[in-house]
Amino acid sequence: MTARSTTPRGSARTRRAPTRKEAVPPRAAVVRPDDEKLAQLREAHRRGKVVLFVGAGISMGLGLPPWSALIEHMARELGIDARSFSGKGGYLTLAEYFRLRHGSIGPLRSWMDREWHRGDVRVENSRIHELLAKGRFPIIYTTNYDRWLETAFEHHKVKYTKIVSVADLAKLRPGATQIIKFHGDLEDDASIVLDESSYFARLDFESPLDIKLRADVLGRSVVFIGYSLADVNIRYLFYKLSRLWKQSVPDVAQPVSYLFSPSANEVQQAVLAQWGIEMIPLARDDPSKALVEFLEGVVG
């Protein structure tokens, strides 16, 4: 009688490799940015042909108060229940009402300045801000009011010129990054685009900064980071930039612009494509890490 094999059932000695027809548990999908799009963007950046648009998502990564905190503050100042107040309109409308009741946006701007520039914010620890400062972008537009982008440039000893009004254009220096505060700066009440009236005036696109924007985007790709696709205000900016290009140089193809997104969305991708904007989605558990990976891929 022959001896029985002592090899346990299912051991490495007897286990078969799965055939093609057998189901193999799939690994979690990792969405990577389109290599071709990223390569095109990297080359445009290398040639100095990229204009960067920076939105509120960048500052939120520093732990700054969200818009809901701004609305709650306005409600307290007006003596209104915060939950009831927030349901009476968007933040532009609520800020307009605050201005009408107070006579100016000044008190609100002062509160924002204090809350958004607290002493415990450590911009030097932000890899995103480091990449923005060291990334050799010649022109950066930002719709943020805070000063953390400028502070990052100062910390990393990178030359820049802040532009809030047409008078600042005289301060431009060769080799210094232009940081254009497109919706104003907290150091200047009159420059702030926060309530409905100021925002509607901005939508006219007839101010000196708008004229500069038209000149800056000619022949360059625009890259948007830190923006929510649900924000109709920024979507109007996408649309307007596309129209400005077609009106200025109707017979010349518009350079492709790009929007970084921490998630893929085929509906948004199709809508943005008609305006000459390509989405570059990069799905990660942490949106901030995804943005870091994207920026590192662009600046090298």
Side-chain angles (χ1 to χ4, degrees), residues 7 78 124 167 229 241 262 275 297:
T7 304
L78 295 169
E124 62 269 22
L229 288 173
L241 285 174
W275 301 331

Side-chain angles (χ1 to χ4, degrees), residues 115-174:
E115 290 297 311
W116 290 1
H117 296 104
R118 302 188 314 267
D120 61 341
V121 178
R122 301 262 70 89
V123 72
E124 62 269 22
N125 296 332
S126 170
R127 175 62 173 157
I128 292 174
H129 283 78
E130 179 184 5
L131 288 166
L132 294 177
K134 295 181 176 179
R136 304 182 306 281
F137 294 100
I139 301 173
I140 299 177
Y141 279 80
T142 178
T143 49
N144 298 343
Y145 315 108
D146 62 73
R147 295 186 291 275
W148 292 116
L149 184 57
E150 300 95 283
T151 302
F153 270 73
E154 292 165 4
H155 174 76
H156 294 289
K157 296 179 172 55
V158 180
K159 293 191 300 182
Y160 74 94
T161 301
K162 181 175 74 173
I163 299 171
V164 180
S165 68
V166 66
D168 295 324
L169 295 177
K171 304 174 185 177
L172 293 178
R173 297 176 292 163

